[in-house]
């Protein structure tokens, strides 16, 4: 499959809550969660090297429509609802159209 839509998000956790935020984001890879969907090609959670409370997530999807459809589901909404109380400020998003690359874990 090819990723035709994606985004990067930078999330800043409240002080000392970066680990909790990362753990929650990684539940997105659990069976039945958005990152486990066949339409999610890339799901990468990273931490800032200089600030442990700044977390980055990169996602690549088969299409923007697939992303929106899956994130409209109950599981995704439940994860998002748990993320908001952990954040110190609004998240920053950059959407993009993947061109080419590699993701292997």
């Amino acid at each position: 499959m090819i990723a035709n839509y994606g985004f990067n998000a930078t999330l800043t956790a409240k002080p000392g809550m970066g680990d909790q935020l990362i753990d929650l984001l990684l539940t997105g890879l659990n069976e039945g969660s958005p990152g486990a969907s066949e339409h999610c090609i890339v799901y990468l959670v990273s931490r800032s090297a200089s600030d442990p409370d700044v977390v980055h997530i990169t996602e690549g999807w088969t299409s923007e429509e697939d992303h929106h459809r899956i994130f409209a589901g109950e599981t995704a909404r439940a994860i998002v609802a748990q993320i908001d109380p952990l954040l110190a400020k609004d998240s920053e998003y950059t959407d993009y159209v993947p061109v080419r690359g590699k993701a292997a874990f």
Side-chain angles (χ1 to χ4, degrees), residues 1-7 25 28-30 33-44 57-63 66-67 69-71 96 103 105:
M1 283 194 180
I2 296 173
N4 294 300
Y5 170 77
F7 66 89
L25 289 168
L29 292 170
N30 294 347
S33 293
S37 164
E38 66 181 326
H39 301 287
C40 183
I41 309 301
V42 178
Y43 190 92
L44 175 64
I57 186 164
T58 300
E59 295 185 25
W61 291 81
T62 50
S63 71
D66 289 331
H67 172 262
R69 179 177 46 78
I70 289 170
F71 266 80
Y96 53 80
F105 300 94

Side-chain angles (χ1 to χ4, degrees), residues 4 8 12 16 22 29 36 45 48-49 57 59 72 76 83-84 95 101-102 105:
N4 294 300
N8 290 318
T12 302
I22 287 172
L29 292 170
V45 178
S48 167
I57 186 164
E59 295 185 25
I83 289 172
D84 286 342
D95 63 339
K102 178 180 176 181
F105 300 94

Side-chain angles (χ1 to χ4, degrees), residues 19-56:
D19 286 338
Q20 190 174 349
L21 177 59
I22 287 172
D23 289 344
L24 181 57
L25 289 168
L26 290 174
T27 67
L29 292 170
N30 294 347
E31 182 72 29
S33 293
S37 164
E38 66 181 326
H39 301 287
C40 183
I41 309 301
V42 178
Y43 190 92
L44 175 64
V45 178
S46 305
R47 167 178 269 148
S48 167
S50 60
D51 185 342
D53 291 320
V54 175
V55 178
H56 305 280

